[in-house]
Amino acid sequence: MKRLMLFGWLVLAAVVAGLGFIRLAPSDPLDWNTQPEFTEDKEFRGGVFRVVRTGPGGLERFHRIASHAPRTSVLAGGPDDGMVTYITRTQVLGFPDYTTAAQDGDLLKVYARLRFGRSDLGANKERINGWLAEMEAAPQEASASE
């Protein structure tokens, strides 16, 4: 019985240590404030890449939405830099997902990916598609109020 209890405490300690590492692991902007050179939409097991024709102000509009999203903060960059990387954490365990948005002429390129694990169960795709849908709806709302 003592061995079983000791084993239980060791497992609990390992789980707490693992979750602590996930929550407190540093995020180096040099590692995450980058994008692959894709020219079209792609989907991965742990993320998504979207290319949207937005005009030159797309990154600024995207930044207004992303920077106010729940559990999301800016890791590096800004609209004036032409590229911004955000960290969005899951609600319960705090797993980090990274989203990098960059303006390339009239195109907005958005790259969202997970840090830990192999699959995000579609969370990045859902979040990015939602942010982009909000972006498309925003100009319609502005013109409707005039």
Side-chain angles (χ1 to χ4, degrees):
M1 185 66 170
K2 275 189 170 186
R3 285 185 182 189
L4 186 60
M5 217 157 135
L6 177 61
F7 178 73
W9 282 110
L10 289 175
V11 168
L12 180 63
V15 168
V16 168
L19 291 175
F21 174 75
I22 288 168
R23 186 53 116 150
L24 301 173
S27 298
D28 186 350
L30 295 176
D31 291 338
W32 295 103
N33 196 30
T34 63
Q35 277 194 336
E37 292 297 323
F38 292 135
T39 56
E40 60 187 30
D41 291 356
K42 300 262 185 213
E43 292 185 18
F44 311 96
R45 192 174 359 166
V48 67
F49 190 89
R50 293 286 183 251
V51 179
V52 183
R53 186 167 300 282
T54 61
L59 182 58
E60 180 68 39
R61 290 181 9 242
F62 185 85
H63 179 69
R64 271 188 250 127
I65 292 165
S67 63
H68 290 93
R71 301 174 312 279
T72 300
S73 60
V74 173
L75 172 66
D80 293 339
D81 300 326
M83 183 165 23
V84 187
T85 298
Y86 308 90
I87 300 176
T88 304
R89 293 193 174 272
T90 60
Q91 189 167 5
V92 177
L93 297 178
F95 281 87
D97 288 331
Y98 296 85
T99 302
T100 302
Q103 190 74 46
D104 185 8
D106 284 348
L107 299 177
L108 177 67
K109 297 181 177 181
V110 182
Y111 177 42
R113 66 271 193 208
L114 55 74
R115 177 171 181 176
F116 298 105
R118 293 185 179 193
S119 174
D120 66 351
L121 303 173
N124 281 306
K125 178 181 174 183
E126 184 179 328
R127 182 176 55 257
I128 298 311
N129 288 345
W131 288 352
L132 292 174
E134 256 185 86
M135 239 178 87
E136 288 179 21
Q140 294 170 356
E141 291 171 8
S143 62
S145 65
E146 293 177 4

